[in-house]
């Protein structure tokens, strides 16, 4: 479609283009033939509202496939699957004439209390970035734009419209921005959505460093920046910072502010032209791709994909043997008792703006009964209602115990009620409700062959982990989760999911415990780099289940791994994996790196690559892990840039962060790094500087009179140089002549600094 040039638009029309026309539509300019574009919520399904819109899912929306939310899809570690889900989302959006689907969310799971964790993939940026890029590619392959969100450091719901995420440069870059960077550079989403919060005191919606310097100048983002709905603080400051489109409509208020700012000379019209031009570019992409997918929707095919995705999302946490045999998979002719309200009334998605009106909804109870060849008993066991009489709780529990006692295996569905997990507020704890824990204890007392199936959008404490022989982490599984759960329970599908977040023993053990959710609208990220498994590993803390953990109904053995540098400078890691069990299965192979003796603070190991392999019984295949050199870099605050530190890196390949199966080492050349020298540079730093070092050694030789500090009155064994290394260069003159030589003057230091910096003095 040919759209008009900016020169054809009036100032008022250009300003109007940068604000929404309504809750879900951009502004049209009918005079010159610019149509509106519809944006609507995802990220795990299409939420196109009928009639007037709202942001929190209160109004009705058209039926759409509800795929597993990111908390489930993330555990699949399956890039191909997420691409397929993205394609399906794009198809449904295209059929409904939606131009942009608002998702995926790639924010880091800093704390398990975040009420919106169900919309995010992982506590690790590599996992979040890889999976986020896959789903963006899938959506956009169907001519529908994705909207990468929520940019950035948006890790809680408490005070989300004002709170400042106060985070240092290294963790901001290495943890909280790295996933966004991966998606932008690899998949070029059509839009990026800025978040509500402030970052180090500046609103994301009006931060030129974030929206322009980092996103565009460094990462090469080519699309449009849209606000989260209602995230604009000051519109003129926002558009100057790089916020192109404000959503939803302000009723013309901010349009007038922009026009006035341009007229008064406060805002250059060229800045407005840039934003309006990006809106027109988005309209062009959407209109050119209109009709890529046409209806009617193949509801059955998309439901089948949702079931496959849900089965790939279920993590087998534990599967011990009872009476000589693993509890799972279940025999279809076994006498089963299904217990728990969630089996019949599934908790399949989180609350808030991502709530999907599903095309259909499976229940685990129905699916289990359909798959079983014998009668399946059921008991609610507990109620999820807010106020339940004690008598009713006792009655429900008593009935469940009787049902469990008569069964060969009891399958108990536990989880977090919907009211406790939602966009807009955070959780108070990570505990399952007391009535559910009491039920489980009572069931275990009469039937040791008990399986727990969990339904939760964020991790929960598992005080029963030692007592229960088999546990499935079912997360939130979308509309087909009931059928997928039955597939896993009976072994029709071999579980292959693995945790993308650590399950801690206690909330008090979690990295952000003392600084979540902050106070007085400030949240100090005092744990720094040590988010998730990095924290637990660095502190050698026990956990319930580690990052990357997930069992199978078969077993996998690993051979020795080998690492080599590729011509592009990346690292290629190869390892053979064998299915040593009796069932076909899929293994997620994880690659971690470490640098022992590093000059900077690092976690004991960090995930840098992953891949999966599907193997028949007895089959062996080679798995290749591609570690990007850029992912080995740390953010150096001294030069405000990425630096790869040279050295002998440890490369570890494993089935989880705490199940390392093979190790090797590889020498990696570091980046050339010359840090500017100043008077605040320490003596030790200056001695290691390639230019300043030799000059300083000469100066110190004169200062020592050709001798050394051995005549010092310091006690024997005290390292005098270690004491001196901490002195800033600007204060060396205070020490005088240590060995009877010539003192080093201020002028000497300034000449040394000028020489080290190539004649560009740094004071």
């Amino acid at each position: 479609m040919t759209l008009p040039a900016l020169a054809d638009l009036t100032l008022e029309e250009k300003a109007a283009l940068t604000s929404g026309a309504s809750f879900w539509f951009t502004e049209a300019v009918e005079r010159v033939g610019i149509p509106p574009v519809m944006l609507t919520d995802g990220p795990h399904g299409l939420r196109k509202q009928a009639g007037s819109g709202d942001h929190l899912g209160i109004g009705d929306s058209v039926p759409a496939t509800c795929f597993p939310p990111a908390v489930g899809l993330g555990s699949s570690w399956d890039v191909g699957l997420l691409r397929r889900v993205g394609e399906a989302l794009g198809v449904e959006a295209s059929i409904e004439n939606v131009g942009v689907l608002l998702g995926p969310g790639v924010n880091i799971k800093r704390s398990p209390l975040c009420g919106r964790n169900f919309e995010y993939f992982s506590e690790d940026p590599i996992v979040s970035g890889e999976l986020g890029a896959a789903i963006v590619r899938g959506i956009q392959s169907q001519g529908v734009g994705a909207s990468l969100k929520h940019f950035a450091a948006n890790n809680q719901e408490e005070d989300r419209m004002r709170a400042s995420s106060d985070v240092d440069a290294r963790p901001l870059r290495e943890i909280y921005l790295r996933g966004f960077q991966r998606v932008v550079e690899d998949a070029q989403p059509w839009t990026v959505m800025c978040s509500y919060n402030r970052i180090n005191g500046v609103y994301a919606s009006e931060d030129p460093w974030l929206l322009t310097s980092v996103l565009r100048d460094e990462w090469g983002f080519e699309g449009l920046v849209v606000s989260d709905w209602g995230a604009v603080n000051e519109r003129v400051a926002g558009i100057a910072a790089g916020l192109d489109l404000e959503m939803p409509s302000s009723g013309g208020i901010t349009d007038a502010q922009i026009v006035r700012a341009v007229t008064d000379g406060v805002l250059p019209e060229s800045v407005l032209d840039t934003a309006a031009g990006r809106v027109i570019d988005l309209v062009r992409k959407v209109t050119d791709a209109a009709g890529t997918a046409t209806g009617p929707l193949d509801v059955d095919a998309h439901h089948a994909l949702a079931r496959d995705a849900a089965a790939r999302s279920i993590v087998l946490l534990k599967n011990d043997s009872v009476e000589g045999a693993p509890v799972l998979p279940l025999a279809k002719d076994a006498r089963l008792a299904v217990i728990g309200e969630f089996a019949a009334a599934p908790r399949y998605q989180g609350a808030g703006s991502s709530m999907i009106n599903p095309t259909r909804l499976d229940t685990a109870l129905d699916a289990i009964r359909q798959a079983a060849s014998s009668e399946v008993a059921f008991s609610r066991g507990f109620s999820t209602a807010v106020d339940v009489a004690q008598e009713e709780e006792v009655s429900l529990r008593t009935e469940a115990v009787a049902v469990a006692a008569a069964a060969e295996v009891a399958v108990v569905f536990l989880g977090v009620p919907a009211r406790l997990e939602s966009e807009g507020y955070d959780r108070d704890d990570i505990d399952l409700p007391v009535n559910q824990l009491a039920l489980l204890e009572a069931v275990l007392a009469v039937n040791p062959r008990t399986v727990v199936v969990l339904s939760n959008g964020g991790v929960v404490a598992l005080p029963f982990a030692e007592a229960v022989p088999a546990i499935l982490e079912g997360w939130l599984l979308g509309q087909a989760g009931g059928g997928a759960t039955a597939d896993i329970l009976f072994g029709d599908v071999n579980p292959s999911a693995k945790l993308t977040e650590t399950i801690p023993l206690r909330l008090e053990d979690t990295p952000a415990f003392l600084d979540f959710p902050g106070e007085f609208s400030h949240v100090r990220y005092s744990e720094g780099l040590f988010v998730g498994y990095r924290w637990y590993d660095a502190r050698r803390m026990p956990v319930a289940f580690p990052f990357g953990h997930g069992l199978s109904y078969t077993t996998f053995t690993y051979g020795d791994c080998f690492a080599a540098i590729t011509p592009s400078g990346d690292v290629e890691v190869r390892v053979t994996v064998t299915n040593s069990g009796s069932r076909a299965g899929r293994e997620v192979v994880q690659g971690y790196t470490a640098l022992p003796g590093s000059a900077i603070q690092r976690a004991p190991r960090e995930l840098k690559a992953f891949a999966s392999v599907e193997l028949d019984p007895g089959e062996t295949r080679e798995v290749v892990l591609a570690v990007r050199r850029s992912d080995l870099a740390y953010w150096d605050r001294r030069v405000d840039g990425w630096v790869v530190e040279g050295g002998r890196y440890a490369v570890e390949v494993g089935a989880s962060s705490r199940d390392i199966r093979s190790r090797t080492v590889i020498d990696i050349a570091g980046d050339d790094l010359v840090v500017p020298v100043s008077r605040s540079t320490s003596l030790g730093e200056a001695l290691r500087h390639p230019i300043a070092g030799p000059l300083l050694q000469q100066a110190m030789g004169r200062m020592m009179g050709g001798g050394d500090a051995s005549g010092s009155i310091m006690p024997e064994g005290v390292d005098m140089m270690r004491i001196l290394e901490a002195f800033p260069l600007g204060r060396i003159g205070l020490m005088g002549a240590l060995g009877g030589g010539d003192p080093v003057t201020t002028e000497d230091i300034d000449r040394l600094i000028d020489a080290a910096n190539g004649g560009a003095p740094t004071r």
Side-chain angles (χ1 to χ4, degrees):
M1 178 178 183
T2 301
L3 294 177
L6 281 170
D8 297 329
L9 302 179
T10 67
L11 174 61
E12 289 74 15
E13 287 170 339
K14 289 186 288 189
L17 278 177
T18 67
S19 297
S22 61
F23 207 86
W24 297 117
F25 283 91
T26 63
E27 188 70 67
V29 184
E30 295 180 0
R31 182 183 67 82
V32 292
I34 298 177
V37 167
M38 185 178 193
L39 304 86
T40 198
D41 276 319
H44 58 273
L46 176 67
R47 191 175 77 91
K48 178 182 177 181
Q49 290 183 292
S52 60
D54 71 85
H55 190 41
L56 294 177
I58 299 171
D60 291 336
S61 55
V62 301
T65 309
C66 181
F67 292 96
V71 63
L73 288 177
S75 290
S76 75
W77 298 67
D78 191 332
V79 172
L81 173 67
L82 269 80
R83 169 73 186 241
R84 289 165 57 209
V85 169
E87 290 170 354
L89 292 171
V91 166
E92 297 196 22
S94 180
I95 290 173
E96 291 290 342
N97 297 312
V98 171
V100 177
L101 191 69
L102 303 179
V106 297
N107 293 99
I108 293 296
K109 298 184 181 186
R110 175 178 178 247
S111 167
L113 295 180
C114 176
R116 211 168 180 177
N117 272 356
F118 59 82
E119 285 193 35
Y120 304 137
F121 293 112
S122 181
E123 65 189 22
D124 183 86
I126 300 298
V127 176
S128 298
E130 280 288 295
L131 299 183
I135 206 164
V136 167
R137 291 190 192 99
I139 293 169
Q140 296 188 168
S141 72
Q142 303 304 307
V144 174
S147 192
L148 183 65
K149 64 182 187 180
H150 304 91
F151 190 57
N154 180 207
N155 311 108
Q156 67 185 57
E157 293 298 284
E158 175 73 20
D159 201 18
R160 64 176 178 165
M161 307 291 283
R162 303 179 303 171
S164 174
S165 300
D166 297 338
V167 53
D168 293 339
R170 273 196 69 196
L172 181 58
R173 290 285 193 161
E174 295 181 32
I175 303 295
Y176 298 102
L177 294 182
R178 203 167 213 157
F180 286 98
Q181 181 175 1
R182 183 72 145 240
V183 179
V184 168
E185 293 181 343
D186 286 9
Q188 276 294 339
W190 289 5
T191 73
V192 167
M193 181 193 292
C194 77
S195 54
Y196 290 119
N197 56 290
R198 295 177 292 155
I199 301 171
N200 294 323
V202 181
Y203 279 101
S205 64
E206 54 190 51
D207 189 343
W209 173 82
L210 182 72
L211 302 183
T212 298
S213 298
V214 173
L215 180 61
R216 295 191 183 279
D217 298 343
E218 292 184 25
W219 301 351
F221 177 60
E222 300 169 356
L224 173 143
V225 176
V226 59
S227 73
D228 201 343
W229 268 233
V232 170
N233 180 53
E234 295 288 346
R235 183 65 186 113
V236 173
I239 199 168
L243 175 61
D244 304 307
L245 176 62
E246 175 189 17
M247 290 297 290
S249 171
S250 69
I253 295 174
T254 56
D255 299 353
Q257 292 173 353
I258 293 171
V259 170
R260 185 164 56 252
V262 172
T263 303
D264 293 346
V266 174
L267 179 72
E269 189 167 359
S270 60
V271 173
L272 174 59
D273 288 348
T274 297
R278 289 171 182 155
V279 175
I280 293 174
D281 285 343
L282 177 65
V283 173
R284 181 179 295 108
K285 289 177 182 176
V286 171
T287 53
D288 286 350
T292 298
T294 58
L297 172 66
D298 190 338
V299 174
D300 292 339
H302 281 210
H303 187 77
L305 175 59
R307 184 165 178 162
D308 290 344
R312 284 278 173 114
S313 301
I314 298 172
V315 184
L316 178 59
L317 293 179
K318 185 180 180 184
N319 190 24
D320 287 353
S321 295
V322 176
E323 299 175 353
V327 175
L328 293 175
L330 301 174
K332 292 188 178 181
D333 61 355
R335 296 192 316 277
L336 301 178
V338 173
I339 299 169
E341 187 171 315
F342 294 116
R347 171 100 198 282
Y348 60 97
Q349 63 178 329
S353 62
S354 65
M355 290 187 68
I356 307 303
N357 179 16
T359 57
R360 66 180 63 165
L361 182 61
D362 293 347
T363 73
L365 178 60
D366 287 344
I368 291 169
R369 283 176 166 167
Q370 289 168 6
S373 59
S374 60
E375 185 176 351
V376 175
F378 172 68
S379 175
R380 283 179 64 204
F382 58 85
S383 172
T384 58
V386 177
D387 296 315
V388 183
Q390 180 68 20
E391 295 80 4
E392 182 181 353
E393 288 285 5
V394 172
S395 175
L396 289 171
R397 192 178 311 141
T398 300
E399 176 190 293
V401 169
V403 169
E408 292 179 65
V409 182
V411 183
V412 183
F413 285 75
L414 306 177
V416 180
R419 67 179 183 276
L420 299 181
E421 286 184 307
S422 173
E423 175 184 352
Y425 56 86
D426 296 317
R427 296 161 66 190
D428 295 324
D429 55 51
I430 58 171
D431 300 325
L432 289 170
V434 173
N435 61 341
Q436 296 186 32
L437 295 176
L439 167 70
L440 178 60
E441 183 178 4
V443 169
L444 282 170
V446 300
N447 193 333
R449 294 180 65 83
T450 293
V451 180
V452 168
V453 180
L454 296 168
S455 298
N456 46 292
V459 296
V460 293
L462 303 174
F464 50 81
E466 294 297 321
V468 176
I471 305 174
L472 290 179
E473 175 52 89
W475 304 120
L476 306 178
L477 295 173
Q479 68 180 53
T485 301
D487 291 339
I488 296 292
L489 287 171
F490 289 116
D492 295 329
V493 174
N494 194 345
S496 62
K498 291 176 180 280
L499 297 174
T500 56
E501 55 188 306
T502 307
I503 301 180
L505 290 172
R506 310 177 306 155
L507 177 62
E508 291 83 355
D509 294 338
T510 59
F513 175 69
L514 294 177
D515 291 293
F516 186 98
E519 57 191 14
F520 308 125
S521 298
H522 280 272
V523 189
R524 178 64 187 152
Y525 285 44
S526 61
E527 70 280 1
L529 297 166
F530 296 93
V531 178
Y533 67 92
R534 292 168 169 83
W535 168 268
Y536 301 106
D537 288 353
R539 295 175 65 85
R540 300 183 181 179
M541 295 176 67
V543 298
F545 295 99
F547 175 87
H549 170 77
L551 304 178
S552 169
Y553 295 150
T554 189
T555 55
F556 300 95
T557 57
Y558 289 57
D560 293 334
C561 64
F562 302 91
I565 306 294
T566 69
S568 64
D570 297 332
V571 178
E572 186 177 84
V573 183
R574 295 180 175 270
V575 63
T576 57
V577 180
T578 301
N579 183 341
S580 50
S582 58
R583 290 173 176 261
R586 169 180 171 267
E587 174 71 338
V588 177
V589 181
Q590 301 155 47
Y592 299 83
T593 66
L595 182 56
S598 173
I600 61 169
Q601 187 182 61
R602 292 180 184 264
R605 64 180 53 84
E606 294 184 299
L607 182 84
K608 296 301 178 185
F610 61 91
S612 62
V613 59
E614 297 195 28
L615 299 169
D616 290 326
E619 184 182 5
T620 298
R621 288 177 59 186
E622 185 178 61
V623 177
V624 179
L625 301 174
V627 178
R628 303 183 188 185
R629 178 178 173 86
S630 59
D631 286 334
L632 298 175
Y634 71 93
W635 186 260
D636 195 314
R637 292 168 292 183
R638 299 169 300 173
V639 295
D640 205 27
W642 292 104
V643 175
V644 175
E645 183 181 10
R648 172 156 287 195
Y649 282 72
V651 178
E652 300 177 327
V653 177
S656 84
S657 63
R658 293 194 173 181
D659 185 7
I660 303 301
R661 304 290 184 87
S662 184
R663 294 177 173 84
T664 189
V665 295
I666 187 169
D667 292 317
I668 295 178
D671 292 335
D672 293 332
L673 176 65
V674 179
V675 179
V677 178
S678 68
R679 290 179 182 174
S680 63
T681 300
S682 73
L683 181 64
E685 292 168 341
L687 286 170
R688 292 186 291 271
H689 191 277
I691 300 174
L695 297 174
L696 185 57
Q697 287 176 342
Q698 294 175 13
M700 290 185 66
R702 295 193 305 271
M703 185 176 174
M704 303 289 292
D708 55 37
S710 59
S712 164
I713 61 172
M714 299 296 288
E716 182 180 356
V718 172
D719 189 339
M720 189 65 179
M721 274 309 300
R722 290 191 65 182
I723 297 174
L724 296 178
E725 281 183 350
F727 270 79
L729 287 180
R731 303 183 193 178
I732 287 181
L734 299 175
M735 296 185 293
L738 295 181
D742 298 329
V744 176
T745 67
T746 300
E747 290 75 15
D748 292 334
I749 295 300
D750 288 343
R751 282 193 293 271
L752 182 148
I753 291 172
D754 291 348
N757 294 326
T762 303
R763 298 290 181 251

